[in-house]
């Protein structure tokens, strides 16, 4: 799921912030094709939960990295 998310989605955005909702559904469908056991769950809830958590974590990491870079640049500008 992580591999699909990295390839197809904007990992700086949460699942709810993704601009292309159809692409999110395609990623979920693709994950179900690759891992057939996931097809038995109603509304693909395990895939949605894992994808939502991964995107939440990756977006927070990116925001933190951006914030740290801005602080670093501000310090360099000051010095």
């Amino acid at each position: 799921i992580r591999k699909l998310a990295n390839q197809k989605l904007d990992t700086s955005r949460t699942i709810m912030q993704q601009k292309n909702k159809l692409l999110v559904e395609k990623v979920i469908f693709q994950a179900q094709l690759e891992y057939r056991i996931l097809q038995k769950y109603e509304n693909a809830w395990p895939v949605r939960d894992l994808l939502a958590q991964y995107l939440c974590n990756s977006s927070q990491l990116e925001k933190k990295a951006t914030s740290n870079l801005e602080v670093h640049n501000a310090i360099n500008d000051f010095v």
Side-chain angles (χ1 to χ4, degrees):
I1 294 169
R2 179 177 29 164
K3 181 178 84 175
L4 289 170
N6 286 331
Q7 291 173 347
K8 309 271 185 191
L9 301 174
D10 181 353
T11 57
S12 69
R13 297 177 180 272
T14 66
I15 197 167
M16 297 302 290
Q17 294 170 333
Q18 294 294 312
K19 291 183 178 181
N20 189 339
K21 303 297 185 196
L22 182 59
L23 195 53
V24 172
E25 294 303 317
K26 285 182 179 182
V27 166
I28 291 168
F29 182 73
Q30 184 65 37
Q32 288 180 302
L33 287 178
E34 289 185 28
Y35 304 98
R36 299 249 181 230
I37 194 166
L38 297 172
Q39 292 177 2
K40 73 178 189 173
Y41 296 99
E42 187 175 333
N43 199 26
W45 70 263
V47 180
R48 287 180 196 283
D49 282 3
L50 288 169
L51 184 58
Q53 189 62 57
Y54 178 71
L55 291 172
C56 181
N57 291 346
S58 65
S59 67
Q60 287 176 350
L61 284 173
E62 187 155 329
K63 285 178 189 171
K64 184 177 180 181
T66 301
S67 176
N68 287 344
L69 181 61
E70 289 171 358
V71 168
H72 179 73
N73 288 341
I75 291 170
N76 283 341
D77 289 345
F78 182 73
V79 175

